Structures are given as structure tokens and as C-alpha cells.
Amino acid sequence: RNDKIFVHLDLGSVAASLFESELFGHEKGAFTNAITSKTGRFELASGGTLFLDEIGDLPLSLQHKLLMAIQNKEITRVGHAIPVPVDIRLVSATNMNLYGMIRQGTFRQDLLYRINTIEIEVPPLRERKEDIVPIAEYLAGEFGRKHGRGNVRLTSGAISSLQQYDWPGNVRELRHNLEKAVIMNEKDTIGESDLMLSSSHR
């Protein structure tokens, strides 16, 4: 499915009241402000891949609905009675310990068994220091072009500082830090002082 549609949804940003509409879609007039029909993410991704980010943030009360859609390979739009078959490759991600959440009763065990056919654990950046510089150099170039600075480079001091930092926020923190450095810096290089890394995480 690598050449088919890829649909992304961050479950942590979806309000509980909009969960069914976002994932399964709705018909016109199904609820207040539903002035037009909407195709949900499952339908949009049919034939391709649906990526559900931050699946650990999904409230327990909504997990059964997601489980049924995955298990039955069909969804029903809000305000409609006829199920729609869907064919998706499901990818999900979380920074939470789902097994611990099962023990605490905040994540359904049957849902975990449906989504973890192949499980890949990505260690935090602090445990794979060799990845920090290639990622940082790629991001510096990306943000340099985005903000009209061309191919921004990292100085040796910046590289050393990046490697010594623990990155508690992982790649998202690295990405944010580098974009901020590019925006605030008028040169085509990023030095150690441009990164403004907290000394408490070195």
C-alpha cells in the first residue's frame, strides 16, 4: 500500500464529542452544525493506510467503538444506518505504556491485541545518540529552505551540544528547537549559543 493514500489522525487532539464524526464520518443533519455530510478517516484511508497517533490518549469509553471498526472492517456514519466496508492498513503510535494501562484498567486488552500484530519500540533519542546529528542536519536544512535561509549548517559546537543533551521531548523537541534557532538566527549556520538548550538536561 506504499503508493496508496496515507491518512493521519492525532487522537489526542480529537474531542470525545467529535470522535465518531472524525473517524467514521457523518450525514448532513446528523447533529447540530452538521450542515454537510462528511467522510471519516476510515473511509478516506480505505485501500491505503490509516495512522492513528497517540492512541494511548483515547478515552476508555471510545475504545470499544474503535475496536469494532477494526474488527468488523466496516464503519457506520453518524446519522446513517447502513454500514460501509473499509479496507485499511492500520498503524498506531503512542508514547504511553499500554500494557501498564491495561493493568490500571484504562486501556482495553482486546484493542491492544488488535493493533499490535507487529510492534516496534523506538528508543528515546538519549538512548540512540548516533541518530541525533543526522536528524538535526536534515531538519536544519529543511527549516533553512522553509524560512528562506538556504541549506543551514550546524557548527561543530552545535553538534557537540546536541549530542550531550538528553532530549526529554525526543524528536519533537529537537524539531522545535532547530526551527526556533533558524528563525532567530540571521546566518546560514547554527552555533551552540543559537540552540538555547537547558543545562538541566545535559
Side-chain angles (χ1 to χ4, degrees):
R1 300 176 191 245
N2 64 328
D3 60 344
K4 306 298 182 184
I5 189 169
F6 181 92
V7 177
H8 166 253
L9 178 63
D10 181 353
L11 292 176
S13 66
V14 178
S17 59
L18 298 176
F19 171 79
E20 287 187 85
S21 173
E22 282 294 327
L23 261 71
F24 311 138
H26 63 253
E27 293 296 313
K28 180 179 178 180
F31 51 84
T32 305
N33 296 329
I35 56 177
T36 60
S37 295
K38 176 180 178 178
T39 302
R41 305 299 175 98
F42 266 83
E43 273 191 88
L44 287 173
S46 195
T49 301
L50 175 62
F51 174 40
L52 298 180
D53 200 4
E54 304 297 352
I55 197 166
D57 289 342
L58 187 63
L60 187 63
S61 60
L62 300 175
Q63 292 173 21
H64 177 72
K65 294 177 180 179
L66 177 59
L67 173 64
M68 289 298 98
I70 298 169
Q71 184 169 290
N72 298 331
K73 298 182 179 179
E74 65 180 24
I75 57 93
T76 302
R77 287 186 175 191
V78 179
H80 201 261
I82 301 174
V84 177
V86 290
D87 172 25
I88 63 164
R89 171 175 59 183
L90 179 67
V91 178
S92 56
T94 183
N95 61 0
M96 302 172 78
N97 183 342
L98 297 185
Y99 295 96
M101 292 178 68
I102 288 173
R103 290 192 293 272
Q104 296 167 6
T106 56
F107 200 86
R108 294 179 63 109
Q109 187 174 44
D110 49 2
L111 176 57
L112 177 60
Y113 290 155
R114 279 289 172 184
I115 64 177
N116 75 339
T117 305
I118 298 174
E119 188 172 336
I120 301 172
E121 183 176 351
V122 181
L125 276 180
R126 64 181 174 273
E127 294 179 12
R128 48 191 177 105
K129 297 280 190 179
E130 68 279 4
D131 290 342
I132 293 174
V133 173
I135 294 172
E137 288 177 336
Y138 172 82
L139 292 173
E142 175 186 307
F143 293 133
R145 291 185 293 273
K146 175 182 176 181
H147 296 289
R149 302 284 169 77
N151 192 26
V152 174
R153 296 176 295 104
L154 301 169
T155 66
S156 59
I159 288 174
S160 177
S161 184
L162 290 169
Q163 290 174 320
Q164 292 173 22
Y165 188 70
D166 273 348
W167 299 107
N170 289 303
V171 176
R172 284 177 180 159
E173 183 183 7
L174 176 60
R175 184 179 185 88
H176 173 74
N177 193 285
L178 284 169
E179 183 164 25
K180 181 169 62 175
V182 170
I183 292 172
M184 300 298 291
N185 189 348
E186 296 181 356
K187 304 185 294 291
D188 62 355
T189 58
I190 292 176
E192 181 178 1
S193 62
D194 299 316
L195 295 171
M196 296 177 285
L197 300 176
S198 171
S199 59
S200 63
H201 290 288
R202 294 187 184 184

